[in-house]
Amino acid sequence: MNCETCQLKELELEPTEIRDVLRCILHTIFFHRTLSLVRPKDVDCDFLEITYVQCGLPELEKEVDEKIDQFTAWVEKHPNRRSQICLSFFDEKQTPSPKRYSKSNSSKGLTNIGANALEETSTRRAALESSVNEVLFQIINFANEKKDHIPAIPDRIFNHEIMIPRFLGLCCPGPIHSSRHLGGHLSSKLIPLILEDT
Amino acid sequence: MASLSYSAGAGGGGRAGAELMVPQFLLKALHAILAVRSPRPHAPPPPAASAAFRRRDRWFHLPLHDPPPPPAAEHLPEPSLGEPLVVDVYLAPSGGGPDEVLERWTVACEPWPSPAAAAAVGEGLAVNRAYKRCITLLRSLYAALRFLPAYRAFRTLCPSGQVYNYEMGHRVGSFATPFSRAEEAAMRTKRLAPVETQLGRLVVSVQYLPSLAAFNFEVTSLASAAIITDYVGSPAAERMRAFPASLTEAAGPPFPQPSRRPNSWASPAPWPHTLGQPAKFSPPPAHYASPTPSPPTFGYLHSRFSGETAPMSIPQAGGGRGTVHHRNMSEPSRAFMFSPPSPKNVRGEAGMQESPTETSRSFKRADGIRMGDLYANLPSGSKIKDSRDESGRFSGVFSSSGSPRLGFSRSSSRLSMHDDTDDADFPFAVDDVDPDSRPGSSGGKDTGDQAGSSSHKSQDAAVGYLVHLLKSARPLRDSSYSSHTSRGESIEAGSTSSFMSRRTSDALEEFESFKEIRENLLARSRSRLQDSLDKP
């Protein structure tokens, strides 16, 4: 398939962090690829000290939240698996030629709670914030470096599709990694791909 | 007049489009930076979801009218095409001391090195394509401003009723003192992919401190309390509207204008259209309405520049945080940096300071467009909201129960309620009033000989009498009673209740008189009807 691919950094997350991080990354992608008029809205992450920008489109927010809910449910049913989310933007003139963004996410649950759990949590949280920041700047760089293929400015958001793991076996051409982690860790990783049709 | 349409692609039109697009991009970038790097005394309210966009907001499809730029931005010189826009964001100790730069944003349109290069690169470059890329670039700048560590400092130092040991400030100009080696080493650089235009390459880059752990933010004191006398619901804030002159000639002078108070919930938006004007409750002006979805046209810029009013100064609350702005405003040497720098100026703080002559020269720039003019209507979204709030607030006067004026009789309140709708809508049915039957009326002649015409005449007379009655009615706000007096002194329950009872008794008397008139009219109509039926 002749499309551009942008691979974002893998992230390992706890189940409680999935929603926060997914919303942050997905909305950042949408904010860069929604060239129509938007109402930028600053949103603070619940668990991370990160503020991202939403487009201010209620329907888009609802769609993203629904997909995240589905993904979260999938993760709960399939622990210890790396999973992937693909965000695709479609050009109406060239169908089916999906442009895809996919993002990486993983959940990790800690079963051993010790005396240094809080310190480990804060350290880990800081590292996660740094990783998420890297991913966000990756999105910025990709969005600015790869924009020649973007069609004319539309009056609405581009056609898109958010594919969560249970659909990936049917349509996503990218690799799906599955691994099993021991030691009481739940882990699911998503390999981010941005595929754009040229 | 060229328009930045999707189909524009010609070279000539492209250059004209770029000449308008690039300055707009610089201004928008500056606005975006200052909006989240300049803590203000009062946090602006979040923008309303239904707030209409102005045409200027639609540049690059990213409205930035909320929060409005800080007051200091109104006096900044317009960024020119040939010079970069450099914004230094720094932290300085509250008690004074050297500041430390957290970020240095550089937004520039680097001209092509030669006309041949410009022709080679710019030829065939559609302006809409460059515009589309500028949209993405501005989005990236907007997002990056929130991802960088300085944003957390901005959020910490934003008004929270506390004064911290650090203050965040900014310097804007076209030149900045180069960092020392140590500073350079401590900073990281991010450059966004440039956008090629007919005029040059639009470049956005930032040098920033990756960590602010060295700055230990501590609360030094609470912000000084500000006593707000005209709070929402107070008599001073919610003044009753005067009767129109057609109803009462004895009414006092028009009510004073609502004072502009620095409420924490109110957007610090200038109200140039309401100052000195009578309170109006009409819908917002048409040009504030949401424009068509098409991108702004070039001609719009010229008309906007010529007709803008200067925004009013935003009152600053007391407290240490305000000193940041005072510092920027009172020390123009640190607020402005002008190019081209001579080699001897590129040394330490010397390059960031300017001579008083240059300062005065900068203020006396005749050419160019003052950013204050461009920003004059920036918070029009807030204006729309404010005007609506104002009308809503005034309409609430009549529905709230807090004001003692609402203790008037129902007739008075109904009269006031109808003031803003139609002067002719009297609260009493006109047909029921017969001025001839009013005790002591001068027009009480028996006109029973002429049934139809006399009845009509009596009704007209009743209407005229009613109008006269209303015109000569005592004003609701008696000149001998001052709302300021009642507010200045402690509002005693006895005086208020006696005043209320006096007004109520007057109204009751009038009501009784009207009742008598009505009964007389009805009796007359019945008698005339009987006479007409008895006649052969």
Side-chain angles (χ1 to χ4, degrees), chain A residues 24 28 30-45 48-55 130 133 136-137 139-141 143-155 158, chain B residues 6 36 47-53 57-58 60-65 128-129 131-144 146-148 151-152 155 190-195 208 293:
Chain A
C24 174
T28 299
F30 275 115
F31 183 65
H32 280 83
R33 281 293 184 253
T34 303
L35 303 185
S36 56
L37 188 62
V38 297
R39 294 177 183 267
K41 184 171 72 171
D42 294 348
V43 179
D44 295 333
C45 291
L48 304 176
E49 284 198 354
I50 294 177
T51 301
Y52 61 97
V53 187
Q54 293 186 4
C55 296
S130 176
N133 251 304
L136 296 176
F137 276 105
I139 295 171
I140 288 178
N141 292 333
N144 279 278
E145 290 170 2
K146 302 179 181 180
K147 51 193 177 208
D148 292 339
H149 58 282
I150 299 177
I153 303 171
D155 56 353
F158 287 117
Chain B
Y6 300 139
V36 290
S50 59
F53 290 131
D57 296 334
R58 290 175 174 266
F60 310 105
H61 288 181
L62 192 66
L64 298 178
H65 52 271
N128 58 341
R129 191 168 148 200
Y131 183 73
K132 182 181 66 178
R133 293 174 179 177
C134 284
I135 292 177
T136 306
L137 183 60
L138 190 61
R139 300 283 171 93
S140 297
L141 168 64
Y142 192 92
R146 284 140 181 85
F147 298 156
L148 294 176
Y151 182 74
R152 310 313 306 180
R155 290 285 295 270
K190 287 196 185 295
R191 289 188 182 86
L192 302 179
V195 172
Y208 65 100

